[in-house]
Amino acid sequence: MSHRLSGIAAQLYEGIKDTPILSPHGHCDPSWFATDQAFADPAQLLVIPDHYVFRMLYSQGIPLEKLGIGGVAYDPRAVFQIFADNWHLFLGTPSRVWIEFVLYQTLGVDILTPETANTVYDQIAAKLNLPEYRPRALYKRFGIEALATTDSALDDLSHHSTSIDADWGGKIVPTFRPDGVLDPNDPQFSANIEKLAEVSGQDTNSLEGYLTALRQRRMFFKSLGSTATDHAIEVVHTEWIEKADLEPLFQRVKSNPTPDEAARFYGHMLIEMAQMSLDDGLVMQLHAGSRRNTNAAILDRFGRDMGADIPVATEWVRGLDALLNRVGNDPRLTLILFTLDEATYARELAPMVGHWPCLRLGPPWWFHDSAAGIARYFDNVVETAGYYNLAGFNDDTRAFLSIPARHDLWRRGVAAHLALMVNKRYFGIRDAEILADQLTIGLARKTYRMEP
Amino acid sequence: MSHRLSGIAAQLYEGIKDTPILSPHGHCDPSWFATDQAFADPAQLLVIPDHYVFRMLYSQGIPLEKLGIGGVAYDPRAVFQIFADNWHLFLGTPSRVWIEFVLYQTLGVDILTPETANTVYDQIAAKLNLPEYRPRALYKRFGIEALATTDSALDDLSHHSTSIDADWGGKIVPTFRPDGVLDPNDPQFSANIEKLAEVSGQDTNSLEGYLTALRQRRMFFKSLGSTATDHAIEVVHTEWIEKADLEPLFQRVKSNPTPDEAARFYGHMLIEMAQMSLDDGLVMQLHAGSRRNTNAAILDRFGRDMGADIPVATEWVRGLDALLNRVGNDPRLTLILFTLDEATYARELAPMVGHWPCLRLGPPWWFHDSAAGIARYFDNVVETAGYYNLAGFNDDTRAFLSIPARHDLWRRGVAAHLALMVNKRYFGIRDAEILADQLTIGLARKTYRMEP
Amino acid sequence: MSHRLSGIAAQLYEGIKDTPILSPHGHCDPSWFATDQAFADPAQLLVIPDHYVFRMLYSQGIPLEKLGIGGVAYDPRAVFQIFADNWHLFLGTPSRVWIEFVLYQTLGVDILTPETANTVYDQIAAKLNLPEYRPRALYKRFGIEALATTDSALDDLSHHSTSIDADWGGKIVPTFRPDGVLDPNDPQFSANIEKLAEVSGQDTNSLEGYLTALRQRRMFFKSLGSTATDHAIEVVHTEWIEKADLEPLFQRVKSNPTPDEAARFYGHMLIEMAQMSLDDGLVMQLHAGSRRNTNAAILDRFGRDMGADIPVATEWVRGLDALLNRVGNDPRLTLILFTLDEATYARELAPMVGHWPCLRLGPPWWFHDSAAGIARYFDNVVETAGYYNLAGFNDDTRAFLSIPARHDLWRRGVAAHLALMVNKRYFGIRDAEILADQLTIGLARKTYRMEP
């Protein structure tokens, strides 16, 4: 599915289609690999947890409750039928491309239509019960060499430990995601700071204890294989605040900060994170520009991550100024930027990663991880950034089964792009082959410090 | 004219090129169809009322007065000669594509050059006098199934009544455009409020009477076939104001409001309009991001709509927040968004229409209603919005003769886009044929509630 | 080297590839043509002065000192070896395309690889010593009909005088670049105002003397062949300030102005410049949207123009409002706009140049002067602006040897674009040939008032 390739593109794709998969950033559940239990029913597999899927159904007037979302009782077969009845809504979207890959290549079931929904449901359910469709078996079949999850700074990482202890041959590493203890806008911020004290044994009432606790948590993550941190922010803002001002600000933001105080504190803490990276070597990721939970009724009823996160315009140059001018020339730092504002690809990000030694540009993210999104990314980025300032690919998915589909879509996009470049005589086929390999796995390994 | 199509694209185009035309949004003059008088001379037909045409001539130093604009005496033949002498300025623009379609396909005249201007002028003039080039005859020849005009909230819609009474077989419906009575920045705002009292018989001095009058006017428009409202705004802002604050604000904005007061009031009234739509079922259209009348000398001398309206950056997510969180989950509402800021296609609008049940995305608007504009629209929008959250096409023209040309350009663009998607294996030819039909007429009928 | 062209594109390219080169805007050093000395070593030719080159090497962790930058002692052969060792970093960038053109077409040396670096170094060094590789000989071989440099308002233009006196057949004209005496943010602003007094003999302590001095300098530039001015600004702001307020503001900005005062003064002076253009006929250029020197450590150590200038979002409509509404309808003015924010191509700039008689749109600038950048430019601009509101091409380079490479890349881009348009049936091959010639040289000659 996706991209019928011919000529040079087909030739390049041939050379990378079977390369192992590195998944250095994503949202898979580590318990899958720790427990190796079978995946639940087809609705749980393909509809209920996938915000790409249910947002589209919701946009066409289907209540989320009818999809089994929000803790209601539901009949998985009925949910799957609704999905099949509305399968045409996904025409033209990468979700359809990915799910077709899962259905027809990974699971090998019949063509999905409203009429075949029942049969396909049974076929999927039967497969999920087979040993070769358990998480660890699929991990191996997919040819994954390592997979990073994304975990709260407060997480005990027990599943990662179990996964390591089980010695089944897979590599599941955590990623340090401390937003909950850095961002005063998080409703649980103050409670999280207290929980941070518990898990670290530090007195997080003082700024010093708080910073020490963070350093310690990072080392804990690193001890379980983590090579990276991850940070999410709506509006990019960084700002260095001197200690005399920071200590009282830290005390204030714990209870009812003003928006400005919250932004300033978080903006400072991002620089602290970058500085800690100089010491512990964790690669820093910044995902910016998503306005979260824009539908208040949905947030109240169903919680976060329910398809109402919408991108906004992002200003990278001024927003990162303070961070970059503090640590951006230090060769020890790697900071990977992810944007949802494609207008910044050519305008800001490509020139920035083409100058600052610490910066790398992440692959097309979220809505832009698609055939046209990938083409726009290369078109806008490469001429200024070159290839070696890119971070390669990551699938960023919480749908484990879609991983091969997403990497395949990327690889086809890489082949299509490089063939275009060869055709424009930017370089020849031999250089294109080297670049194809870099974009498939080399750059990701190097950028995330996950060399096998 | 435009797009030499081959292969799958040609096949898809074949299937839609003769589909009836639905024109659910535009600016044709309803008197044309009420009176069915012949169009005036060629200069009046092709140059003087077309701001796409005279802005380009003005940009190259030709004074508007020389084109017969601004109430000056003019020789239509001389104006037409100037147009022909500068015909090369339009190379590469959709205006040239549209006008060539009108000249060579609709009117069947000779090739226009500076040398043939006189002959072509005579040929057009002769055609316009024939019965088969009268508005109603052309309407039928064009295969139009319904056409919506855009009309002031204060309009008596007499031409629409006449057109209905005449029973000639065409369907000309009004669209409720209340900017003049909602936007305190309109220089006539206060006078318009008084006129609203006259036409409605309500006391518009009170907020309640004002709102009642608006409700009543909407019902009047609906009684003459209207299915939609339309609203124009430079900067997207919506805000719900509670009654205690709204009443005094309403009184203040009638005389010399501050810019902030005007913006707040208009932002509130857009939500009132959406709420009225819940009751009366009128589809709501929002055209945002055009900065009007940027050339003060031109405005003073020639008035509005003289080619100096220029797009500005638009922020949809934050701007519509209040409206959407008040009525956006209500299944009764349809709100169609039109943008002039293409950077918002993929960043904001596609994710928004892919979540909110009320939202649909309008087709490429104004400067972007062009071959490349249509290609960019599909490229940026479809992967996230799918097809079924789009509003189909509308021509938005005040040049009646250009309607078939504009729909043809769109249909060629649809065919070219879908062929690309088939080639990328997003879907097969059968799905492409269904989508081609939807994009040509199905989605417009459904979104505008204008099923035949 | 860039774009394998076939069919119509190849045919169009054939017709323009040998057209003379006009270079109406760039940053070549006029002393090259005045003294006609040989260029220095290969590192000085290709690496050390080219911020496109060393920013990329720096982004991958190579210290600038190792490249001989910053006044350090260096071995040019070692610098060239570093460059060759990292030649793969430039894959996909126009820098590689341009430099390959220089190496293999202009200089005719061996293929550059890490292994051949030494040999290629020797080959280049040998060529540079030959008479036919001196600046004047290359100027003629390149087929240049005129070349404009960019010069401080305080420059004595001695090299231009010498170049004229030498009567060698070339035409090297200055461009009036007065930022240093207009922009209070320039650290040397106050000193520059004093120097302006010296070179003009005017008392620049008074506003009147200052304005008179500027008028006089413009006439001096014009007397040496200048046809244009050039202005750089980060955030577009223009504002007319009445004399009563302007005189005290002028006094204040000379010592420690607030950012707001500085912006207001500079915004006023841009309008003064436009008004002076009405009188003396100098074409005005505005390069906007580059945030300069974003890396403070690099600025402190190495100075300006060191690869850390990054584009920011630009707002043209509101920013130019005051200037355009003061002089924008005057037929004597030509104002060429250059942007680094491609989102403004279709949204703001094409509609603006398609209305205002004074405006012309400059070619893709800096990071966007590339194959894909040129394609995006035409795709976004032409349908609204047409071709005759474009300013043709200029190379804007400080690397003299790259001039033919850059013009060739543009010409291939022109041919590729026009072939696409012919294929979309926007126009036929005959019109395409005329437009190819216009875009290659006609529009530049006319816009810059540099008819041969």
Side-chain angles (χ1 to χ4, degrees), chain A residues 260-279:
Chain A
D260 182 61
E261 285 172 340
R264 294 187 61 214
F265 183 78
Y266 196 14
H268 172 86
M269 287 308 298
L270 289 173
I271 304 182
E272 294 278 4
M273 286 296 110
Q275 295 192 156
M276 292 182 194
S277 279
L278 301 184
D279 294 330

Side-chain angles (χ1 to χ4, degrees), chain A residues 155-178:
Chain A
D155 198 292
D156 66 6
L157 304 183
S158 59
H159 293 303
H160 293 86
S161 309
T162 307
S163 184
I164 290 173
D165 295 344
D167 196 23
W168 55 282
K171 189 172 171 190
I172 310 295
V173 302
T175 301
F176 184 70
R177 173 83 168 244

Side-chain angles (χ1 to χ4, degrees), chain C residues 404-419:
Chain C
R406 288 170 184 245
H407 283 261
D408 185 67
L409 189 71
W410 169 257
R411 291 171 189 195
R412 287 174 185 271
V414 163
H417 161 72
L418 292 172

Side-chain angles (χ1 to χ4, degrees), chain B residues 156-170:
Chain B
D156 66 5
L157 305 183
S158 58
H159 292 305
H160 292 87
S161 310
T162 306
S163 183
I164 289 173
D165 296 344
D167 197 23
W168 54 283

Side-chain angles (χ1 to χ4, degrees), chain A residues 182-199:
Chain A
L182 298 186
D183 179 2
N185 284 318
D186 188 304
Q188 303 301 314
F189 178 65
S190 162
N192 288 340
I193 300 290
E194 280 174 40
K195 205 172 162 208
L196 179 62
E198 282 167 43
V199 299

Side-chain angles (χ1 to χ4, degrees), chain C residues 6-186:
Chain C
S6 59
I8 293 169
Q11 178 184 343
L12 291 169
Y13 175 68
E14 238 1 83
I16 54 178
K17 73 184 172 62
D18 298 323
T19 300
I21 285 175
L22 176 61
S23 179
H25 173 64
H27 298 270
C28 284
D29 184 338
S31 74
W32 295 334
F33 310 100
T35 66
D36 202 31
Q37 291 181 334
F39 289 105
D41 61 78
Q44 273 294 349
L45 187 74
L46 295 175
V47 182
I48 294 169
D50 189 336
H51 58 71
Y52 288 87
V53 168
F54 61 69
R55 75 174 182 96
M56 181 64 88
L57 298 172
Y58 185 71
S59 80
Q60 289 280 317
I62 298 166
L64 295 181
E65 289 88 348
K66 287 190 69 173
L67 301 170
I69 295 168
V72 297
Y74 69 97
D75 169 9
R77 196 175 289 270
V79 169
F80 195 76
Q81 183 69 51
I82 294 174
F83 173 61
D85 289 344
N86 290 282
W87 190 215
H88 63 287
L89 299 180
F90 297 89
L91 285 166
T93 69
S95 288
R96 181 149 170 153
V97 174
W98 298 329
I99 293 173
E100 286 185 343
F101 191 105
V102 169
L103 291 175
Y104 310 135
Q105 305 211 13
T106 304
L107 297 170
V109 297
D110 289 355
I111 298 292
L112 180 66
T113 67
E115 293 73 31
T116 64
N118 240 320
T119 309
V120 171
Y121 184 94
D122 290 334
Q123 291 172 335
I124 299 172
K127 296 273 179 166
L128 294 183
N129 281 326
L130 300 175
E132 58 263 44
Y133 290 89
R134 295 276 173 90
R136 292 181 182 177
L138 286 174
Y139 178 103
K140 284 177 196 163
R141 177 170 147 204
F142 291 165
I144 297 175
E145 72 178 33
L147 181 150
T149 61
T150 301
D151 313 273
S152 158
L154 304 171
D155 198 292
D156 66 6
L157 305 182
S158 59
H159 292 304
H160 293 86
S161 308
T162 307
S163 183
I164 290 173
D165 295 344
D167 198 21
W168 54 282
K171 187 171 170 190
I172 309 294
V173 302
T175 301
F176 184 71
R177 172 84 168 244
D179 299 339
V181 292
L182 300 186
D183 180 2
N185 285 317
D186 189 305

Side-chain angles (χ1 to χ4, degrees), chain B residues 341-411:
Chain B
D341 181 359
E342 293 176 305
T344 65
Y345 277 161
R347 187 179 64 215
E348 298 171 37
L349 292 168
M352 288 172 84
V353 305
H355 164 71
W356 291 97
C358 65
L359 293 184
R360 293 296 179 269
L361 183 60
W365 176 34
W366 202 333
F367 302 110
H368 308 315
D369 181 10
S370 62
I374 290 167
R376 288 195 299 269
Y377 173 81
F378 284 125
D379 186 78
N380 281 278
V381 158
V382 162
E383 292 183 324
T384 294
Y387 292 100
Y388 291 87
N389 288 308
L390 307 182
F393 184 64
N394 57 70
D395 52 73
D396 199 3
T397 188
R398 52 199 77 217
F400 179 56
L401 265 72
S402 80
I403 287 180
R406 289 170 185 244
H407 284 261
D408 185 68
L409 189 70
W410 169 257
R411 292 171 188 196

